[in-house]
């Protein structure tokens, strides 16, 4: 027995997790019975010159524990862990806002997060920081350490990493503050979620779950191509793709994912040419406060984390906005939401389709909070400790009161990843966000592009090459650029179409047709802006791919969707007619 005890202690000191040593629960129980528990050491942020006000702790398996556990009522908040694509700094912003809210209400705040490059791990944010990995074992260890007067654990602010621990923590007796884990599962389980939507009379696109290629093929055939396909329970839309036929589906299953009863894939009818919306709201179980309805500038089919969006919506009829508000309130209540919820919709032919709901912080919460002037994360944190929305918030319709327009644009890492195609897709690629704000949409959009490092030119040459289905849509855009004094150059198909419809342009060779071609002009700095929409399907088109990658490398602004191209043309027109004005955030709310 002593040998087993010594062996376990040795393995723990070497850094092995309980689940790596056998059945996690059994190893944990036997380890605790043997008195093998982690101790916490302090990282002295003041170099021992004086007492650190906010000590950092890390776990190890030694004898002396340096943590001083207080008698104050306390709350543990799980952070988002290492920042990666799909798990951005925006979740850290929510964590910090939650800490501020809880400190205002008198709680001791404890953060668990293992990312040194975030604000939540700064010395002056929380009362105590445990610099620990976000695993079940490590979180349970901290919960046990801080169990005296612990109200519970908040998982909503740490993105999918934290929310994935909710049910496991509850099964181990941990009180999850806010939306209950079983209600979180109502939203994440497609079968259960579909039944709720049907009960509420909320339309949704046809969908199915495949546990083998044959099942996936049968479901896709029944729904009808194109379909949106992805693994279940993924972060940032990983391996999510639009497939257009059975051949592409088979390629996807072979190359992208493992499909089995334990790893099913979700198949949704893809709503082509739809307008996508995101709604961020908070709910206390009785009242729903909608922060904002965000209209995506790109069409449906692009991951919401990669799409530029605008508050308030610019093209929606009032009846559609009212229906979205109605659906959001019904669904938040039906899911027994306590805290934050993000719901995504698609509008097609006047029908509001509900795509998904996430009962947690989304990447857009900080943007919405700044756009409408209220902190959704702070309100959510107070709700989770028992407060009511009506006691916290005076203005229940913040979006309707603003007199400005706010545009969120995303920042991509393509300059750091040579050879990666920057075309947007259902799989998330962005690593950050910026915001443009002004009195009108066009100027706000221009400011957002400027902040994202994709400054729109006010003169020069615009290169346009679009797929066949986009030619009618590009006509008005090309004409506007021409009227604004830009020279328009295009490859054969686009050039002929524009010329036939009265838009003057210069034809240029495709890359595969010889030289001089568009790449030569780009290298000679003769191209000011590129509009290039990719051909549908998984097969990579060499010309488009090389153009988009070269645009990143040569720092030439590029656009890959018609919606963005239209917004860009309007923005350029606006900026050419008046100066860009800089005003403080406070001025927009106090004027």
């Amino acid at each position: 027995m002593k040998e087993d005890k010594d062996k376990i202690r040795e393995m723990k000191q070497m850094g092995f997790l309980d689940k790596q040593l056998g059945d996690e629960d059994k190893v944990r129980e036997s380890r605790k019975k043997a008195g093998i528990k982690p101790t916490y050491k302090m990282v002295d942020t003041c170099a021992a010159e004086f007492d650190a006000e906010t000590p950092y702790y890390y776990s190890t398996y030694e004898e002396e524990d340096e943590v001083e556990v207080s008698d104050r009522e306390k709350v543990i908040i799980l952070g988002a862990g290492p920042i990666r694509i799909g798990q951005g700094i925006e979740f850290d912003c929510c964590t910090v806002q939650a800490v501020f809210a809880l400190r205002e209400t008198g709680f001791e705040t404890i953060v668990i997060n293992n990312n040194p490059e975030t604000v939540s791990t700064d010395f002056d944010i929380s009362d105590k920081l445990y610099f620990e990995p976000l695993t079940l074992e490590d979180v349970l260890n901290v919960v046990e350490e801080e169990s005296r007067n612990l109200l519970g654990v908040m998982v909503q602010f740490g993105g999918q990493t934290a929310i994935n621990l909710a049910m496991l923590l509850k099964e181990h007796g941990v009180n999850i503050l806010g939306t209950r884990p079983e209600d979180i599962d109502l939203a994440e389980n497609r079968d259960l979620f579909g039944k709720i939507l049907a009960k509420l009379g909320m339309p949704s696109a046809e969908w199915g779950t495949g546990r083998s290629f044959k099942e996936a093929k049968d479901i896709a055939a029944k729904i009808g191509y194109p379909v949106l396909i992805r693994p279940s329970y993924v972060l940032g839309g990983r391996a999510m793709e639009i497939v257009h036929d059975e051949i592409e589906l088979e390629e996807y299953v072979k190359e992208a994912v493992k499909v089995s009863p334990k790893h099913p894939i979700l198949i949704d009818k893809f709503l082509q040419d739809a307008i996508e919306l995101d709604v961020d709201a908070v709910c206390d179980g009785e009242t729903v406060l909608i922060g904002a309805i965000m209209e995506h500038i790109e069409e449906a089919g692009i991951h919401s984390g990669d799409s530029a969006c605008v508050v308030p919506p610019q093209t929606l009829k009032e009846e559609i906005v009212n229906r979205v508000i109605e659906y959001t309130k019904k669904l938040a209540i039906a899911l027994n939401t306590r805290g934050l919820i993000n719901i995504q919709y698609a509008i097609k032919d006047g029908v509001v389709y509900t795509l998904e709901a996430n009962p947690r912080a989304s990447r857009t919460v900080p943007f919405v909070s700044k756009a409408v002037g209220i902190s959704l994360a702070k309100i959510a944190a107070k709700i989770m400790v028992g407060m009511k929305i009506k006691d916290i918030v005076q203005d229940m319709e913040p979006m309707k009161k603003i007199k400005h327009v706010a545009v969120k644009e995303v920042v991509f890492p393509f300059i750091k990843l040579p050879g990666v195609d920057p075309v947007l897709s259902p799989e998330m690629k962005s690593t950050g966000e910026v915001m443009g704000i002004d009195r009108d949409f066009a100027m706000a959009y221009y400011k957002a592009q400027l902040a994202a490092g994709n400054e729109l030119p006010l003169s020069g040459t615009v290169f346009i090459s679009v797929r066949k289905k986009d030619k009618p849509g590009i006509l008005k855009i090309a004409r506007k650029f021409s009227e604004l004094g830009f020279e328009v150059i295009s490859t054969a198909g686009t050039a002929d179409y524009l010329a036939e419809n009265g838009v003057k342009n210069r034809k240029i060779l495709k890359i595969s047709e010889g030289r001089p071609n568009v790449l030569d002009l780009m290298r000679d700095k003769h191209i000011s802006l590129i509009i290039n929409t990719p051909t549908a399907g998984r097969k990579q088109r060499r010309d488009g791919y090389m153009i988009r990658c070269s645009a990143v490398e040569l720092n030439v602004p590029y656009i890959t969707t018609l919606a963005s191209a239209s917004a860009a043309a309007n923005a350029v027109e606006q900026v050419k007619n008046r100066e860009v004005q800089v005003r403080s955030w406070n001025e927009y709310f106090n004027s």
Side-chain angles (χ1 to χ4, degrees):
M1 185 66 182
K2 183 178 182 303
E3 290 181 1
D4 290 341
K5 179 179 176 180
D6 290 343
K7 185 66 174 175
I8 291 175
R9 182 179 294 278
E10 180 186 2
M11 298 297 280
K12 297 304 292 181
Q13 287 176 337
M14 292 171 67
F16 285 92
L17 291 171
D18 288 345
K19 65 181 180 181
Q20 293 172 312
L21 303 179
D23 181 275
E24 184 169 10
D25 288 339
K26 291 180 180 178
V27 172
R28 180 179 184 81
E29 195 60 36
S30 61
R31 172 173 61 75
K32 287 168 63 178
K33 283 182 180 178
I36 304 171
K37 298 180 181 180
T39 56
Y40 292 92
K41 300 295 183 180
M42 186 174 74
V43 179
D44 192 346
T45 55
C46 298
E49 291 186 25
F50 46 87
D51 289 340
E53 289 188 18
T54 307
Y56 293 11
Y57 293 103
Y58 67 94
S59 64
T60 183
Y61 280 81
E62 294 183 9
E63 299 300 323
E64 184 182 357
D65 196 324
E66 297 178 1
V67 171
E68 294 181 10
V69 179
S70 76
D71 290 322
R72 292 175 59 194
E73 193 168 23
K74 56 183 73 77
V75 171
I76 291 174
I77 303 175
L78 302 189
I83 289 175
R84 55 189 183 272
I85 294 176
Q87 194 79 334
I89 195 71
E90 295 80 13
F91 293 116
D92 196 66
C93 176
C94 294
T95 299
V96 172
Q97 291 294 308
V99 169
F100 290 164
L102 294 172
R103 294 180 87 167
E104 287 173 9
T105 53
F107 288 94
E108 180 180 350
T109 57
I110 299 168
V111 170
I112 304 177
N113 201 8
N114 61 335
N115 188 337
E117 294 298 325
T118 56
V119 180
S120 69
T121 54
D122 283 354
F123 74 94
D124 58 349
I125 300 298
S126 61
D127 293 304
K128 197 179 288 182
L129 168 70
Y130 285 86
F131 204 75
E132 295 292 283
L134 290 162
T135 68
L136 175 64
E137 176 183 336
D138 291 293
V139 173
L140 286 175
N141 288 341
V142 175
V143 168
E144 290 175 3
E145 183 80 9
E146 295 285 351
S147 59
R148 192 189 311 161
N149 284 332
L150 175 64
L151 184 64
V153 175
M154 292 182 176
V155 299
Q156 287 191 21
F157 304 106
Q160 199 66 36
T161 298
I163 213 84
N164 284 346
L165 292 173
M167 188 63 79
L168 292 170
L169 290 170
K170 180 175 182 179
E171 290 170 356
H172 285 79
V174 178
N175 182 32
I176 301 299
L177 299 174
T179 307
R180 300 177 307 169
E182 51 267 42
D183 292 321
I184 293 171
D185 190 56
L186 283 178
E188 295 201 331
N189 183 301
R190 289 304 298 267
D191 289 317
L192 298 175
F193 186 62
K195 290 175 182 176
I196 288 175
L197 293 181
K199 184 178 179 181
L200 296 175
M202 295 170 59
S204 63
E206 287 186 79
W207 64 277
T209 303
R211 291 171 172 79
S212 67
F213 170 63
K214 184 181 184 307
E215 279 189 23
K217 183 176 67 172
D218 292 344
I219 292 167
K222 179 183 176 183
I223 291 173
Y225 292 96
V227 294
L228 186 67
I229 189 164
R230 57 182 161 160
S232 54
Y233 295 90
V234 297
L235 176 69
R238 272 204 309 261
M240 188 186 293
E241 197 164 309
I242 299 167
V243 299
H244 297 79
D245 53 44
E246 190 176 308
I247 295 172
E248 287 184 10
L249 177 63
E250 187 170 8
E251 288 177 4
Y252 174 88
V253 171
K254 284 180 179 177
E255 297 174 16
V257 297
K258 174 183 178 183
V259 185
S260 69
K262 289 186 177 181
H263 301 86
I265 53 176
L266 305 178
I267 303 153
D268 294 85
K269 176 65 179 174
F270 176 58
L271 300 171
Q272 289 182 298
D273 303 318
I275 297 171
E276 197 162 335
L277 307 177
D278 260 75
V279 180
D280 279 323
V282 288
C283 177
D284 60 13
E286 301 169 358
T287 305
V288 180
L289 169 66
I290 295 175
I293 298 170
M294 292 160 278
E295 180 180 356
H296 290 205
I297 293 170
E298 285 84 12
E299 61 270 13
I302 292 167
H303 193 281
S304 59
D306 283 357
S307 180
C309 61
V310 57
V311 172
Q314 298 295 296
T315 68
L316 302 184
K317 295 179 180 178
E318 187 176 358
E319 64 182 90
I320 295 293
V321 172
N322 291 337
R323 205 178 314 157
V324 169
I325 291 171
E326 176 197 348
Y327 285 176
T328 299
K329 290 180 177 180
K330 287 200 305 186
L331 187 55
I333 296 294
L335 292 172
N336 302 309
T337 307
R338 301 291 192 282
L340 287 159
I341 186 167
N342 170 267
I343 305 174
Q344 295 171 23
Y345 300 97
I347 316 299
K348 184 174 174 64
D349 300 328
V351 179
V352 179
Y353 294 92
T354 304
L355 302 180
E356 62 179 80
N358 297 298
R360 58 166 173 81
S362 71
R363 286 190 62 174
T364 49
V365 165
F367 164 67
V368 167
S369 298
K370 291 181 176 68
V372 301
I374 60 170
S375 175
L376 296 181
K378 289 182 77 171
I379 296 168
K382 291 179 179 179
I383 288 170
M384 285 186 245
V385 294
M387 298 179 72
K388 294 294 183 181
I389 288 176
K390 291 178 179 177
D391 298 327
I392 306 169
V393 180
Q394 293 181 334
D395 184 3
M396 293 297 294
E397 295 182 317
M399 188 180 74
K400 290 187 178 181
K401 302 292 172 64
I402 62 175
K403 299 175 182 177
H404 56 263
V405 177
V407 173
K408 180 209 84 172
E409 184 54 279
V410 293
V411 178
F412 293 99
F414 301 128
I415 192 66
K416 305 290 185 183
L417 303 169
V420 173
D421 192 343
V423 69
L424 301 181
S425 73
E427 183 169 4
M428 188 169 170
K429 298 173 181 176
S430 62
T431 51
E433 297 175 349
V434 296
M435 173 174 158
I437 183 170
D438 208 281
R439 293 297 185 188
D440 59 69
F441 169 66
M443 187 62 79
Y445 183 82
Y446 179 83
K447 288 181 176 180
Q449 296 305 311
L450 187 66
N454 201 37
E455 183 177 359
L456 297 173
L458 302 182
S459 62
T461 301
V462 56
F463 169 77
I464 301 176
S465 179
V466 297
R467 57 192 173 189
K468 187 176 181 181
K469 73 181 286 288
D470 290 337
K471 286 178 182 176
I474 199 64
L475 192 59
K476 184 178 178 181
I477 297 166
R479 184 173 286 118
K480 175 163 281 191
F481 273 112
S482 181
E483 291 170 352
L484 290 170
F486 286 80
E487 180 188 12
V488 177
I489 66 171
S490 311
T491 50
T494 305
D496 292 342
Y497 182 83
L498 294 177
E500 289 166 8
N501 287 276
V503 178
K504 183 181 177 183
N505 72 96
R506 177 159 62 95
K507 189 183 297 188
I508 191 170
L509 295 175
K510 292 182 178 180
I511 299 170
S512 55
E513 292 174 341
R515 304 180 71 173
N517 55 50
V518 64
L519 288 188
D520 296 316
L521 295 186
M522 288 168 66
R523 293 183 183 117
D524 292 338
K525 301 188 183 303
H526 291 322
I527 300 291
S528 308
L529 176 67
I530 291 170
I531 300 174
N532 173 235
T533 62
T535 303
R538 299 187 75 216
K539 189 175 180 181
Q540 198 176 72
R541 291 298 182 112
R542 195 65 190 161
D543 277 26
Y545 168 76
M546 290 178 68
I547 289 168
R548 293 187 293 270
C549 289
S550 296
V552 173
E553 181 186 340
L554 299 170
N555 198 28
V556 180
Y558 64 93
I559 294 170
T560 62
T561 68
L562 287 186
S564 292
S566 178
N570 292 332
V572 170
E573 181 181 36
Q574 189 72 267
V575 176
K576 284 173 75 75
N577 291 332
R578 67 182 175 94
E579 287 186 19
V580 177
Q581 293 183 329
V582 177
R583 306 175 75 203
S584 72
W585 180 81
N586 287 332
E587 287 180 276
Y588 284 102
F589 289 93
N590 296 330
S591 60

